[in-house]
Amino acid sequence: MRDTRESRLLLVLLIAIAFALITVDIRGGEDSPVDGARRAAASVFGPVEEGMSSAVDPIGNAIGAVRDSGERHDRIAELERQNAALKAKLGSDDRNRSRLRQLDGMLKKAGAGQYGIKGAEVIGIGAAQGFSWTVTIDAGANDGIKRDMTVLNADGLVGRVTTVGPGTATVLLANDPDFTVGTRMEKTDELGFATGQGDRPLSVQLLNGKAKVKKGDRLVTFGSQKDRPFVPGVPVGEVVRVDPSGGDLTRNVYVKPYVGFTKLDIVGVVVEAPREDPRDTVLPKKPEKPKPIPTVTVTATPSGKPEDGAAEGTADGPANGAADGPADGAADDTGNTGNTGNADTGNDEQ
C-alpha cells in the first residue's frame, strides 16, 4: 500500500472507529453492543490461538527449562563444593583433635618418667627385614634417632628402633614374636621377660615360679644396660591370665598391652633416658573402687502383749534370781559352819 493522502486519512478513520468501539464496549459493561461480535470472534479465532499456543509453549518451556537447569546445576555444584569443603574441614578438625590428645598424653607420660623424646608420626605399616609387626616413622638420623632406642606413645611401650635412615626409621613393635623386653611387676618387683604374640596377649615368663600374681596386676619395663634398647618404667600392660606354677622354676602369665598396635599415629622416640628409675610413677592411675552405700534396716516393734511380757520377764527374773540365790547360799553356808563347829567341839572334849 502506497503512502498517500488517502491512505493516511483511512488509517486515522480506522483508529477513530476503534477508539469509539472501545469506549462503547467499556461503558456498556455486560450489555455492550459489541459483546456478540467479540464472542463470535472468540469462537472463530480461539481454536487457532490454542493450536498456536500448544505448538509454541513446549519450545518456550524447553528454553526456560534449559536456562533454569543451568542455574540449578550451578547452584547444586556450588552447594556440593561447599558441602565437600565442610566435610573435609570437620574431618580435619576431628583428626587434629585426636592427634592433639595423643600428643598431650604422650608429653604427660614423658614428663612423668622424665624421658627426653622426639615426636614422630607413623607413615607406614608393614613387614620390613623379615619382621611381621613393624611401622615406619618420619624421623631418622637427621633428627637424632639411633638404633635400639625405646619408642612409646600416650598409652605405653610401642617398641624399639631397628633401622635408621636419614629421614625415617623402622620400629619393631612390642607384639612381634621376635620382640623381647625385661619387665618388672608393680609393687612386688618380680622380674620377667615379655615376648610378643601378634594379636594375642604378651607372654611373660616370671623368674620366680612361686611369685604371687593375679589378674589385673601391672607391669613396666625393667630397663637395659645404659638404657638401650629400653629405658625403665615404661608401662607395658595388665595381667589377664595366670598359668599354674606346677612347681616349675619359672611361671608364665599373659599380659594385655596398653598400646593398640593397629591404630598407631603419634609416637615418641626416647632420645634421652631419665636420670633415675621412675619405677611405677608412669603407670596410669587405677580407677577408684565405688564405696559401698550403708543400709539401715528398720524393724517395727509390735505393741501390746509382747511388751508387757518382756517387761514382766525383765522385772521378775533378775529380782527373783537375786533374792533367791544369795539367800539360799547364805543359809547353806551358815548351816555348814554350825555343824563344823559342833563336830570340832565334841572332838576336843573327848
Side-chain angles (χ1 to χ4, degrees):
M1 186 177 188
R2 296 178 63 183
D3 185 12
T4 61
R5 182 182 181 85
E6 291 79 4
S7 60
R8 291 179 183 178
L9 291 175
L10 180 60
L11 178 60
V12 173
L13 180 59
L14 292 176
I15 292 174
I17 295 172
F19 275 109
L21 292 175
I22 292 172
T23 302
V24 172
D25 186 32
I26 291 174
R27 290 181 177 180
E30 295 181 357
D31 298 329
S32 174
V34 298
D35 185 55
R38 184 170 57 248
R39 291 178 181 177
S43 62
V44 173
F45 296 105
V48 177
E49 291 177 351
E50 292 179 359
M52 293 296 293
S53 175
S54 61
V56 175
D57 283 348
I59 299 175
N61 293 337
I63 295 173
V66 170
R67 184 178 60 254
D68 294 341
S69 66
E71 294 177 357
R72 285 195 299 269
H73 178 74
D74 293 340
R75 289 197 299 270
I76 292 172
E78 180 61 25
L79 290 175
E80 288 177 348
R81 283 193 295 268
Q82 294 177 2
N83 193 25
L86 182 59
K87 287 182 178 180
K89 185 178 183 299
L90 291 176
S92 177
D93 289 346
D94 290 342
R95 186 167 185 268
N96 288 336
R97 282 193 291 268
S98 174
R99 290 161 66 86
L100 285 174
R101 286 194 298 269
Q102 294 179 50
L103 181 60
D104 182 63
M106 185 176 67
L107 291 176
K108 288 180 180 178
K109 281 280 191 296
Q114 298 298 308
Y115 306 124
I117 63 172
K118 175 67 178 180
E121 181 181 359
V122 174
I123 57 175
I125 300 176
Q129 301 179 351
F131 302 134
S132 57
W133 289 85
T134 60
V135 296
T136 301
I137 59 176
D138 63 350
N142 296 337
D143 304 292
I145 307 300
K146 298 179 181 179
R147 180 183 171 88
D148 287 336
M149 283 185 168
T150 307
V151 183
L152 52 79
N153 68 357
D155 299 318
L157 179 66
V158 173
R160 63 180 176 87
V161 177
T162 57
T163 307
V164 181
T168 61
T170 301
V171 178
L172 178 66
L173 301 181
N175 64 335
D176 187 273
D178 290 332
F179 185 95
T180 301
V181 59
T183 62
R184 182 179 58 78
M185 296 289 299
E186 180 185 14
K187 296 181 180 179
T188 64
D189 292 339
E190 294 288 350
L191 303 181
F193 294 95
T195 302
Q197 297 193 113
D199 55 359
R200 294 180 296 167
L202 305 176
S203 174
V204 180
Q205 188 177 49
L206 298 178
L207 301 183
N208 182 5
K210 298 180 180 180
K212 294 182 180 180
V213 188
K214 64 182 183 300
K215 185 177 179 180
D217 287 347
R218 306 187 295 179
L219 295 85
V220 298
T221 56
F222 176 69
S224 306
Q225 186 176 9
K226 296 183 179 179
D227 301 310
R228 300 274 290 274
F230 302 108
V231 294
V234 181
V236 176
E238 293 185 1
V239 175
V240 293
R241 184 162 66 89
V242 180
D243 281 351
S245 59
D248 296 334
L249 296 178
T250 60
R251 190 171 191 182
N252 291 335
V253 299
Y254 298 90
V255 174
K256 180 182 179 181
Y258 287 119
V259 173
F261 297 104
T262 59
K263 52 183 180 181
L264 293 172
D265 188 8
I266 303 297
V267 299
V269 182
V270 181
V271 296
E272 184 178 352
R275 295 180 180 179
E276 297 180 358
D277 188 345
R279 307 293 293 178
D280 302 330
T281 58
V282 189
L283 283 168
K285 293 183 180 180
K286 288 186 175 181
E288 296 182 0
K289 295 182 179 179
K291 297 181 180 180
I293 301 175
T295 56
V296 179
T297 304
V298 179
T299 304
T301 303
S303 58
K305 295 181 179 180
E307 290 184 355
D308 298 337
E312 292 174 359
T314 304
D316 296 345
N320 294 337
D324 295 344
D328 294 342
D332 292 343
D333 290 344
T334 304
N336 292 335
T337 303
N339 294 335
T340 304
N342 294 335
D344 293 338
T345 305
N347 291 335
D348 291 339
E349 290 177 355
Q350 290 176 358

